[in-house]
Amino acid sequence: MHPRKLVTLDEFTIQETRKFPQATGELSALLRDIGLACKMINKQVRKAGLVDILGKHGATNVQGEEQMKLDIYANETLISVLQNSADCAGIASEENDEEVCFDEYSSHSKYVVLFDPLDGSSNIDVNAPIGTIFAIYRRTTSLAGHCRKEDFLQPGNKLMASGYVIYGSSTMMVYATRLGVNGFTLEPSIGEFCLSHPNMKCPDSGTIYSLNQGNSTRYEDGLRAYLEHCMENNKEENRPYSHRYIGSMVADMHRTLIKGGIFIYPSDSKSPNGKLRLQYECNPMAFLIEIAGGLASTGTGRILDIIPTELHQRTPIYIGSKNMVTKALEFINQKEPVA
Ligand code: AHG
Ligand code: MN
Ligand code: MN
């Protein structure tokens, strides 16, 4: 029997480009650059448990170099790789107050990238999965000049591509374009992301709900009623559902994409806009999950239709399997409990 042919991320993106005679390959190149940066981040993540031996983050190592915290390392790695890429005019990151518009030869490129360089960073100490989230927009400003803030403040419905890398029991990159969602697992022996999950679809229904239920006294009544619904016995509808919450959006969303379910980070009495950031957490996940057949809502409207006004703005989010999100929205938008 012939061994199964591996398709690498590079090969796959080139094949996708060939489907469109007018495509220039710039978006594909950018996805490969993000893949490269994440392989470099992965290398550091895999050593995270050794900090006591190799030196604490923030301390100085034997060569006299300062050890960087992983989220700062991840941020700087993404910035330096994208700065050297011919296809990225600038970036915005959770770790930078303002966007960074590149001066070098790439300043006239047509794309900008937004990212959360390390998502779920509080999970590093306990060896639980963490990730990187990214979003790619085509610029709206003239390519003759540098990119500007407005290039980064586009609604999610204008995304060209988005995705994440999960540093889990294996390392995977999952990304979406309008052509579909595909997942690539890092094959460590050759250092390549290889297509392992072609054409991913989020199941229409699931049996897992995911949110920080410890905050439930701060939630609105409608959401509390929905949580009661999730916990209720109903054999025909497979309830009670299971509750799973890792506390890394990437890890919780990766499970939601594969197994189905709902992930919620709602508004509450303490945080009226929720916690998660629109431009580099919620929009990229919403774009990906919608392409995979799921739904993503603020509770009152589609995440992807929000017109952003600030780089770091937050939004509540209800995201995942179509039927579960629809049901949750019925509860939260109705004063009377839903049957
Ligand atoms: P980050 O590590 O990038 O700051 O993001 C953490 C986020 C997200 O990954 C996760 O879903 C959420 O914080 C968890 O928040 P709670 O601890 O409030 O549940
Ligand atoms: Mn995050
Ligand atoms: Mn982060």
Side-chain angles (χ1 to χ4, degrees):
M1 202 167 94
H2 293 290
R4 196 170 73 90
K5 163 98 174 71
L6 285 181
V7 177
T8 66
L9 174 67
D10 293 17
E11 289 167 339
F12 183 84
T13 55
I14 291 165
Q15 284 166 15
E16 293 282 282
T17 304
R18 290 205 184 115
K19 291 180 185 165
F20 298 94
Q22 73 281 16
T24 58
E26 287 160 277
L27 182 64
S28 305
L30 197 46
L31 287 162
R32 298 197 294 274
D33 289 333
I34 293 171
L36 169 65
C38 291
K39 283 195 277 190
M40 294 161 75
I41 296 167
N42 179 65
K43 194 175 154 211
Q44 289 305 115
V45 167
R46 297 297 168 205
K47 291 198 289 193
L50 296 169
V51 284
D52 285 342
I53 303 166
L54 302 177
K56 279 247 184 256
H57 298 304
T60 306
N61 70 12
V62 279
Q63 285 90 32
E65 298 157 337
E66 200 173 323
Q67 299 280 300
M68 263 183 265
K69 281 192 177 2
L70 265 182
D71 32 19
I72 303 303
Y73 174 83
N75 193 42
E76 297 197 351
T77 302
L78 275 158
I79 294 176
S80 71
V81 169
L82 290 174
Q83 199 158 17
N84 281 313
S85 155
D87 304 298
C88 180
I91 63 95
S93 162
E94 184 191 13
E95 301 298 337
N96 294 77
D97 291 343
E98 299 294 339
E99 68 280 3
V100 180
C101 290
F102 298 145
D103 281 327
E104 291 75 10
Y105 64 101
S106 58
S107 61
H108 305 301
S109 310
K110 59 178 184 223
Y111 295 110
V112 293
V113 182
L114 296 90
F115 49 81
D116 177 352
L118 209 72
D119 174 65
S121 39
S122 65
N123 271 326
I124 296 168
D125 289 347
V126 297
N127 223 334
I130 50 180
T132 297
I133 310 174
F134 60 89
I136 303 175
Y137 288 100
R138 190 193 285 261
R139 288 173 60 185
T140 55
T141 56
S142 161
L143 302 188
H146 290 165
C147 65
R148 296 217 305 265
K149 186 171 242 91
E150 61 213 79
D151 294 318
F152 298 90
L153 294 181
Q154 299 186 56
N157 59 32
K158 294 274 193 271
L159 276 164
M160 298 301 293
S162 74
Y164 58 84
V165 172
I166 179 167
Y167 311 102
S169 47
S170 58
T171 299
M172 259 190 91
M173 177 165 170
V174 177
Y175 80 85
T177 64
R178 283 170 209 278
L179 292 177
V181 180
N182 291 282
F184 302 80
T185 301
L186 184 65
E187 169 28 309
S189 66
I190 55 169
E192 293 280 1
F193 283 109
C194 298
L195 183 63
S196 53
H197 295 62
N199 197 19
M200 296 173 87
K201 297 283 175 212
C202 179
D204 287 346
S205 297
T207 56
I208 298 174
Y209 70 108
S210 184
L211 83 174
N212 190 337
Q213 202 155 353
N215 290 336
S216 58
T217 56
R218 300 186 196 136
Y219 294 160
E220 284 176 9
D221 290 348
L223 177 55
R224 293 227 294 265
Y226 176 67
L227 298 181
E228 289 300 325
H229 165 85
C230 291
M231 293 184 284
E232 201 173 71
N233 276 306
N234 183 322
K235 217 168 166 197
E236 295 82 71
E237 294 182 12
N238 288 318
R239 288 182 283 132
Y241 297 147
S242 296
H243 176 249
R244 300 269 184 275
Y245 189 67
I246 296 168
S248 285
M249 187 195 203
V250 167
D252 285 312
M253 284 307 304
H254 188 60
R255 182 199 56 243
T256 303
L257 171 64
I258 290 178
K259 288 192 185 287
I262 184 169
F263 172 84
I264 304 173
Y265 209 109
S267 56
D268 66 27
S269 55
K270 197 173 148 211
S271 316
N273 294 319
K275 174 181 184 186
L276 299 178
R277 313 296 180 124
L278 174 65
Q279 288 298 75
Y280 42 81
E281 291 180 318
C282 297
N283 264 336
M285 290 298 185
F287 180 79
L288 187 147
I289 218 81
E290 281 203 9
I291 301 278
L295 283 181
S297 171
T298 62
T300 51
R302 190 176 173 224
I303 294 275
L304 295 178
D305 290 340
I306 301 173
I307 310 286
T309 53
E310 286 168 43
L311 223 40
H312 299 285
Q313 79 190 64
R314 299 171 198 270
T315 175
I317 186 165
Y318 293 74
I319 180 169
S321 293
K322 192 160 67 179
N323 297 341
M324 287 184 85
V325 173
T326 304
K327 191 72 178 176
L329 296 181
E330 274 171 38
F331 272 92
I332 64 166
N333 290 316
Q334 203 157 310
K335 297 278 172 272
E336 298 298 315
V338 188

